[in-house]
Each structure stands twice: as structure tokens, then as C-alpha cells.
């Protein structure tokens, strides 16, 4: 019975990895559409977001079956409940990637120093998402803590883009609406980083029973 439960936990891990990869692709596609100025690429992101939502429901169903069909001990219960919480954050990452893509689709995007900062910021949040999922699968609390610490990098990018846009606003030729669009995109990337931190905290809970590790 235990071996069957362990096999199902392995399948759960694989599904989480798949969902994480979809999230990474959604972020990366939005960032690429931004830096290349290609709204057509951004239009593919909502479909990815839908696939992420579908994977969320699939994992939720799997977790509930594990709870109902087995009698998990405390540690296993923490793993399953953490997975349920994690997929909620991952689904929000998909939604916010789609929100970024929508802004890019509607805005007249052009490559600037600001979009390069946003691209660098997107690489940082992708790393956070990837490492938070890896930490769960590997049961690595040190990696989870590193994700939480790495959020300072994302916050620094956000502060940098804010200052850049403040400088832009001081110039009379600046398109104010476009600058606000870039600020909104930066805010969405910051939120994605926050969701990755939440995932990492649930990883710590699954391992130690404490979200602070």
C-alpha cells in the first residue's frame, strides 16, 4: 500500500514540474514579446494560462484522491496540503503572465532600456519559480530559503524600473500611458516573484512543518 502511495506522490511531483514548466514558458513568452515588440507572440500566452489552470484542477483532484484513498501520516499530509497551496500560487503566476501579455498586445511596445530591465527581471522571476518547484521535488529546504532571499533581486529590479520611469516622466516628450504600461508590467513581475516566495514557504512547511523553515 505504501509503495502505491509513493508512486502516486512521484506522479504528483511530475505534474508539479509540468505545471511549473508551463508557468516558466508563460513568463518567458511574455518577456520575449515585450523585448522584441511582437504582440502576436503575446497572444499565445492566454492559451498557456488556460493549460496552467487545467493542470491546477488536475493536481487538486489528485491530491484529494490521495487524501481520501490513503491515510497519510503527518509528514505526507504536509506534502499534499503544501502541493494544494502551491498550485494556487502557480495558477496566479499564469494569470499574471496573461495580464502582462494583454498589456503588450494593446500597447505600442518598442525596445528601450526599460524593456531590457523588465527582461532581466523576468529572468530573475523564472529562476525563482524553477528553483521553488525543484526545492519541493528534492525536499531541499536550503534551496527554498535561497528562493526567498532571491526575491531581494527582483525587488531591486522593480526599484530600478520605477526610477527609470520617474526619469522618463520628467521629459516632456514621454508617452505617459506607455510608461504606466511598463510600470504595470513590472508590478506583475514583482507579484510573480511574491508567488514564488509563497511556493518556497510551502516547501519549507512540507519539510519542517514551519513556513519560516
Amino acid at each position: 500500500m505504501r509503495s502505491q502511495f509513493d508512486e502516486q506522490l512521484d506522479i504528483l511531483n511530475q505534474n508539479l514540474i509540468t505545471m511549473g514548466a508551463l508557468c516558466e514558458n508563460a513568463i518567458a513568452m511574455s518577456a520575449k514579446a515585450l523585448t522584441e515588440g511582437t504582440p502576436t507572440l503575446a497572444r499565445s500566452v492566454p492559451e498557456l494560462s488556460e493549460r496552467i489552470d487545467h493542470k491546477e484542477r488536475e493536481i487538486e483532484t489528485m491530491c484529494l484522491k490521495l487524501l481520501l484513498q490513503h491515510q497519510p501520516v503527518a509528514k505526507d499530509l504536509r506534502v499534499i496540503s503544501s502541493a494544494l497551496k502551491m498550485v494556487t500560487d502557480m495558477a496566479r503566476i499564469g494569470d499574471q503572465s496573461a495580464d502582462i501579455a494583454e498589456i503588450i498586445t494593446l500597447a505600442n511596445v518598442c525596445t528601450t532600456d526599460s524593456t531590457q530591465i523588465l527582461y532581466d527581471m523576468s529572468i530573475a522571476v523564472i529562476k525563482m519559480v524553477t528553483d521553488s518547484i525543484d526545492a519541493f521535488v528534492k525536499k531541499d529546504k536550503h534551496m527554498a530559503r535561497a528562493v526567498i532571499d532571491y526575491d531581494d533581486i527582483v525587488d531591486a529590479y522593480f526599484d530600478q524600473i520605477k526610477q527609470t520611469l520617474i526619469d522618463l516622466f520628467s521629459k516632456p516628450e514621454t508617452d505617459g500611458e506607455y510608461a504606466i504600461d511598463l510600470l504595470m508590467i513590472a508590478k506583475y513581475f514583482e507579484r510573480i516573484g511574491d508567488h514564488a516566495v509563497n511556493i518556497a514557504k510551502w516547501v519549507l512547511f512540507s519539510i519542517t512543518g514551519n513556513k519560516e523553515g
Side-chain angles (χ1 to χ4, degrees):
M1 195 70 175
R2 178 69 206 189
S3 61
Q4 182 185 4
F5 181 75
D6 287 340
E7 287 175 6
Q8 290 175 334
L9 282 181
D10 287 340
I11 294 171
L12 173 62
N13 285 342
Q14 289 303 314
N15 275 289
L16 284 167
I17 291 170
T18 299
M19 188 175 180
L22 289 170
C23 289
E24 293 159 23
N25 288 341
I27 301 166
M29 196 174 291
S30 295
K32 187 176 181 181
L34 175 67
T35 53
E36 294 184 356
T38 50
T40 51
L41 183 61
R43 293 190 187 101
S44 303
V45 178
E47 188 269 335
L48 272 177
S49 181
E50 289 178 10
R51 289 172 62 189
I52 290 167
D53 289 341
H54 177 77
K55 185 59 70 174
E56 177 192 21
R57 292 190 293 272
E58 185 179 332
I59 292 172
E60 285 175 341
T61 300
M62 180 178 296
C63 288
L64 292 174
K65 284 182 178 179
L66 282 169
L67 292 172
L68 292 172
Q69 294 175 358
H70 302 272
Q71 293 180 328
V73 296
K75 184 178 180 181
D76 295 328
L77 190 58
R78 290 202 307 269
V79 169
I80 296 168
S81 60
S82 295
L84 282 168
K85 295 290 187 179
M86 287 166 58
V87 293
T88 300
D89 279 297
M90 292 163 75
R92 298 294 79 76
I93 288 171
D95 292 340
Q96 283 155 7
S97 297
D99 289 335
I100 293 169
E102 183 179 5
I103 293 172
I104 295 167
T105 301
L106 298 175
N108 183 22
V109 177
C110 57
T111 302
T112 64
D113 290 343
S114 300
T115 55
Q116 183 58 50
I117 297 169
L118 287 170
Y119 181 77
D120 293 341
M121 191 177 183
S122 75
I123 297 299
V125 296
I126 288 172
K127 173 179 170 57
M128 290 178 70
V129 173
T130 302
D131 289 353
S132 62
I133 304 300
D134 283 351
F136 181 79
V137 173
K138 296 175 181 177
K139 299 178 174 59
D140 189 330
K141 60 185 179 183
H142 301 294
M143 184 181 288
R145 291 194 191 102
V147 170
I148 296 169
D149 292 340
Y150 200 78
D151 192 45
D152 290 342
I153 303 295
V154 173
D155 290 342
Y157 277 125
F158 185 62
D159 290 340
Q160 187 180 355
I161 193 70
K162 280 196 299 183
Q163 187 57 56
T164 301
L165 293 175
I166 288 170
D167 294 341
L168 276 177
F169 272 120
S170 67
K171 299 176 182 177
E173 70 275 13
T174 297
D175 181 342
E177 186 175 349
Y178 180 68
I180 290 171
D181 285 339
L182 294 182
L183 182 60
M184 286 298 298
I185 290 171
K187 188 63 182 175
Y188 281 127
F189 279 138
E190 184 195 35
R191 288 178 183 172
I192 289 172
D194 290 341
H195 286 300
V197 167
N198 288 343
I199 293 169
K201 288 183 176 181
W202 284 113
V203 172
L204 290 176
F205 176 78
S206 72
I207 298 168
T208 68
N210 186 335
K211 287 177 71 177
E212 302 304 320

